[in-house]
Amino acid sequence: MTKKNYHLTALSLYINYIVHGIGVVIISQNKAALGVQWNTDAQGVMTVVSMLGIGRLIAIVFSGYLSDKFGRKPFVLLGMVSYILYFVGLLYAPNTTVAAILTVIAGIANSFLDSGTYPALMEAYPKNAGTATVLIKAAVQIGQWILPFIILLATAVGQYQLSFYIAALALLLNALLVWRTPFPDQDAKEAEAAGEKKEESVSVFKSQPKMWLEGVAFVLYGFISQATFYTISQFISAYGQSVAGMDEGAASLLLSTYSTGTLVCVAFTALVGIKIRPVNLVLPYTFMSMISIAVMYLFPSPTVMQIGAALVGFFAAGGVMQLGLTVMGEMFPAGKGTITSIFYTFGSIASFAIPFFGGRMSLQNVMLMDTVFAVIGFVIAVIVFIRYYQTIDTTKK
């Protein structure tokens, strides 16, 4: 099979995640205007936002299997169409019930994109899969970075709806690009049908990984990695103000510091990931996030919180979850869509569990809980690291 260049395909997939980054926060960023439209208060609007997680959890269970069965491109396109319906539909939703249904659809769209995009990138760039998947994180962050500027433009012209239309139009135009670009799984099937030899870069095993050991470890890691950084993103400002004695303004900036660390890590990982195996990054990243969170719990102070926020953003939220999925794809190369579903199903559960349980705890106990998560994550990373080199023949990669 002739090797193809999938750079344009990858670009179109990253554009989707830039728009997805906008979609995740566009409701909360237009909370006041949408509250008036839907005749509800801020709490009602945020209830609509929570429906994203429900939609994601509904679809991620089966979308990966169907992506393996029917191909990556159909699911990417289905996710894009669903997101367009979300952006445009919200502007015409008369109440929170309709808005909630549309937001569930957006969560489903996110699952469709994940189930088509992650496997497609791993198949397109098998030797640099870690870098390819971590760049998804960068795309999401870029979308969330540019949205405030779009909202400023919409405010200047007195039309808050403009940001929704811009996002929908970007997806519509990008859909034309996705439609015309090649996908590696399609090319592989066409080559096989034509009698060409299928050319793949796959892991060579010294012994087969065990689903009851490595498989279970990865499933748990999907939950733990999401829970570790999601706890910080949801509670760090309140913890900094109430426990570390920071004033409200300084505490609110902790989230920006955290986001900066995330972006720096994405850039760093994208560069070093070309030469370093993802498994060799997962272990030190997980160790450093454990140390950073533990120090913030044990020695809360304004200085510790500022440094800790940046370190957790870098080591816990800067792509280690995507790296973990990439390593899982190396150890279980058959059915990448299915393993993406399994991995992110447990990440979605964490998105529900953290606000539910964390909101019922004291802030000190929330940080203690996150420290425990980080310790468990490090133990899992050690197990995965050891088993990776026991099962995969790295000399043949």
Side-chain angles (χ1 to χ4, degrees):
M1 177 180 165
T2 304
K3 289 185 178 180
K4 285 193 176 182
N5 186 316
Y6 294 107
H7 296 341
L8 195 59
T9 304
L11 175 63
S12 67
L13 296 176
Y14 293 136
I15 290 172
N16 283 341
Y17 277 87
I18 292 174
V19 180
H20 164 65
I22 291 173
V24 170
V25 295
I26 197 168
I27 295 179
S28 59
Q29 292 296 310
N30 290 277
K31 186 163 46 180
L34 292 174
V36 172
Q37 178 182 321
W38 300 337
N39 192 30
T40 188
D41 56 13
Q43 184 177 353
V45 173
M46 294 311 293
T47 299
V48 171
V49 174
S50 70
M51 295 298 106
L52 280 168
I54 292 178
R56 180 174 168 76
L57 191 57
I58 288 172
I60 199 68
V61 175
F62 62 84
S63 59
Y65 168 77
L66 295 177
S67 170
D68 287 334
K69 188 174 181 65
F70 297 108
R72 315 306 183 199
K73 182 183 283 190
F75 272 82
V76 171
L77 288 169
L78 189 56
M80 297 173 74
V81 170
S82 301
Y83 249 131
I84 291 172
L85 176 62
Y86 163 73
F87 285 120
V88 177
L90 285 178
L91 297 178
Y92 296 94
N95 51 53
T96 55
T97 301
V98 175
I101 293 171
L102 289 166
T103 308
V104 168
I105 291 173
I108 293 172
N110 183 197
S111 294
F112 287 161
L113 287 181
D114 284 351
S115 298
T117 301
Y118 280 95
L121 289 173
M122 286 189 277
E123 290 159 353
Y125 302 101
K127 294 182 179 179
N128 297 303
T131 295
T133 55
V134 163
L135 286 174
I136 291 176
K137 185 79 174 184
V140 174
Q141 293 292 327
I142 290 170
Q144 294 181 353
W145 182 79
I146 65 175
L147 178 59
F149 297 99
I150 298 175
I151 290 176
L152 282 176
L153 174 63
T155 303
V157 298
Q159 296 290 329
Y160 78 91
Q161 299 93 336
L162 185 62
S163 57
F164 291 83
Y165 285 125
I166 288 175
L169 180 61
L171 280 179
L172 182 61
L173 295 176
N174 195 43
L176 301 176
L177 180 59
V178 170
W179 183 269
R180 296 178 62 85
T181 53
F183 275 60
D185 63 309
Q186 286 182 323
D187 292 339
K189 288 177 182 177
E190 290 172 5
E192 195 173 357
E196 297 181 31
K197 185 179 178 181
K198 188 177 179 181
E199 196 173 291
E200 292 185 68
S201 175
V202 297
S203 302
V204 178
F205 295 104
K206 293 185 285 188
S207 63
Q208 285 296 320
K210 299 177 176 62
M211 183 57 71
W212 66 266
L213 179 58
E214 291 87 3
V216 170
F218 279 117
V219 166
L220 292 175
Y221 193 76
F223 177 90
I224 290 294
S225 57
Q226 173 78 14
T228 301
F229 73 79
Y230 195 69
T231 301
I232 295 297
S233 68
Q234 296 299 307
F235 293 99
I236 191 169
S237 295
Y239 183 82
Q241 185 174 355
S242 298
V243 180
M246 303 176 73
D247 62 51
E248 184 178 357
S252 65
L253 287 176
L254 288 174
L255 194 57
S256 297
T257 304
Y258 163 87
S259 298
T260 301
T262 300
L263 283 172
V264 172
C265 181
V266 168
F268 175 79
T269 304
L271 291 174
V272 302
I274 297 173
K275 297 293 184 181
I276 300 177
R277 290 174 179 271
V279 73
N280 292 333
L281 294 174
V282 170
L283 187 60
Y285 281 11
T286 309
F287 174 74
M288 287 302 301
S289 66
M290 176 185 69
I291 297 298
S292 303
I293 294 168
V295 169
M296 286 194 293
Y297 168 66
L298 294 171
F299 309 104
S301 71
T303 301
V304 167
M305 293 305 298
Q306 288 288 357
I307 296 173
L311 291 177
V312 174
F314 188 101
F315 291 110
V320 72
M321 191 174 185
Q322 286 80 3
L323 290 173
L325 175 61
T326 302
V327 178
M328 189 178 184
E330 288 187 67
M331 299 187 76
F332 299 96
K336 288 183 173 65
T338 301
I339 66 170
T340 298
S341 282
I342 295 171
F343 190 85
Y344 278 110
T345 293
F346 282 81
S348 297
I349 292 172
S351 298
F352 287 115
I354 295 307
F356 181 82
F357 291 107
R360 290 161 173 76
M361 297 179 182
S362 69
L363 289 168
Q364 291 96 327
N365 285 338
V366 167
M367 193 61 73
L368 174 59
M369 176 183 70
D370 204 33
T371 303
V372 173
F373 284 149
V375 171
I376 295 172
F378 177 64
V379 172
I380 294 173
V382 170
I383 293 171
V384 168
F385 183 86
I386 293 171
R387 289 296 297 159
Y388 181 92
Y389 283 101
Q390 286 178 342
T391 58
I392 292 184
D393 187 352
T394 56
T395 65
K396 301 294 178 66
K397 182 75 172 170

